[in-house]
Structure formats: C-alpha cells, structure tokens
Amino acid sequence: MFGYGRESIVLQRDVNVVQIPDGTPGSLPKGHVVSLYQSLGGNFTVVTELGQMVRIAGNDADALGKEPPIISNLVSGTDPESVEKNVWEVLRTIFDPEIPVNIVDLGLVYHCKVTPVEEGSNDVDIIMTLTAPGCGMGPVLQYDAEAAVKSLPGVNKVNIEVVFDPPWSRDMMSEVAKLQLGLI
C-alpha cells in the first residue's frame, strides 16, 4: 500500500518511533492519531497530530492495526548464489521513509558479496551509500538492511559499510525508480 495521508489511525498501544529526517528515537502514546503517509517495505511513515513525520517499524505494525510484512519471493537454499538472490530481494524491501523507492532501485547499494564460511553458512558484505552524507536516517537504513539480511537462512555474519565515494546522484537510480518518481 502506498498513500499520502489518506488514512487516519488511532494508535492501539504505545509505540517507538524514529523522527524523520533526523533519526531521533521517540515514542507515541496509545490513542494518538496519526495519518499514514507511506507503507512500504513493512515500515510505516506517519504524520503525527503535531505535524511531525515519524517512522514506525514493521514489527510494531500491530500498534497501527496492521499486519507485519511477509517476504514471499525468496528462493530456497543456503548456497552462495541462493543467499545472494535473497539478499537482493530483502534489500528491495528497505525504503527511504521519505521516498517511495527501495534502496536498491534508488542506487544506494553499490556492492554485495556472499562468501561461504562453511557448508550452509555465508558471510555477507554490503557496500552502500546514502542520498546525502548528513542523512539522519542513514543509521536506521543501515540497521534495517543488516537486520533483514541477518534474518535470511544461510547467513552467518553481515557487514554493511556506508561510503560516500562515489557520491550518490540521481543518475544511480534505476529506470523504474525514475519513472516512479516522475523524473522521466
């Protein structure tokens, strides 16, 4: 689902949030009314009664009366090729909370390497960037990516390095992302 402020929701319980764009953690109380801004990749971007934009993690979907996400396009197997396919698939579920495009199509993921360490167990190294070096949501996106990849079968260890060289530009976005954002 993707929508801009079309659905008002009364929080069903206290919930932890992350303020956008600075990444500051906070919380909202049960009964607070929020407007759903974006629901992509299992996380929810909402606007509070005070007009603040915040992100609610997918594992707190119940506070919004929603279901947590299920990723259904994963392949079976713990060999490096299967793990790499699954890594790219879960990275496509990570969205910038302000932009309705996943981090892969935004061009933020530069490299993914899967290295077998023993039978059925692999280390995953990812190099990624952010749309801007001072992005307050950077640590949140990095954590989301790491947690998603760590949850995959056959993954032993995940290392995500955030780099700023080369700097991100719109040219790194996929054609799908550019079309989605009306840039072509």
Side-chain angles (χ1 to χ4, degrees):
M1 174 186 178
F2 177 68
Y4 290 104
R6 295 188 182 142
E7 182 180 359
S8 290
I9 300 170
V10 177
L11 294 179
Q12 297 178 11
R13 64 171 174 82
D14 293 355
V15 65
N16 291 325
V17 299
V18 176
Q19 289 185 14
I20 300 169
D22 62 12
T24 304
S27 65
L28 292 175
K30 176 182 179 180
H32 192 92
V33 178
V34 297
S35 293
L36 185 61
Y37 177 80
Q38 174 174 292
S39 173
L40 294 167
N43 294 311
F44 303 89
T45 301
V46 300
V47 178
T48 70
E49 293 172 349
L50 301 176
Q52 295 175 304
M53 186 175 284
V54 298
R55 189 190 84 144
I56 297 175
N59 59 357
D60 287 322
D62 65 302
L64 295 164
K66 305 287 184 186
E67 294 291 322
I70 298 172
I71 302 171
S72 59
N73 299 341
L74 301 179
V75 298
S76 61
T78 57
D79 58 280
E81 294 78 24
S82 296
V83 170
E84 183 172 349
K85 285 180 184 176
N86 288 339
V87 167
W88 286 107
E89 193 64 38
V90 298
L91 289 177
R92 284 185 176 86
T93 70
I94 310 298
F95 285 77
D96 183 300
E98 295 175 286
I99 305 171
V101 177
N102 68 68
I103 63 173
V104 173
D105 287 333
L106 266 178
L108 298 181
V109 181
Y110 290 165
H111 174 77
C112 172
K113 181 180 178 187
V114 177
T115 307
V117 290
E118 59 186 54
E119 184 67 32
S121 184
N122 303 275
D123 288 348
V124 178
D125 292 292
I126 296 170
I127 298 173
M128 65 179 285
T129 193
L130 305 172
T131 55
C135 176
M137 293 302 291
V140 175
L141 292 174
Q142 182 178 359
Y143 172 81
D144 286 351
E146 184 177 339
V149 173
K150 270 186 183 176
S151 72
L152 292 171
V155 173
N156 175 55
K157 186 172 83 175
V158 179
N159 177 51
I160 297 182
E161 180 182 359
V162 177
V163 299
F164 297 104
D165 187 27
W168 179 84
S169 72
R170 286 184 179 181
D171 295 336
M172 296 173 168
M173 293 169 49
S174 72
E175 293 299 314
V176 171
K178 290 177 185 175
L179 185 63
Q180 207 172 350
L181 295 174
L183 299 176
I184 55 174

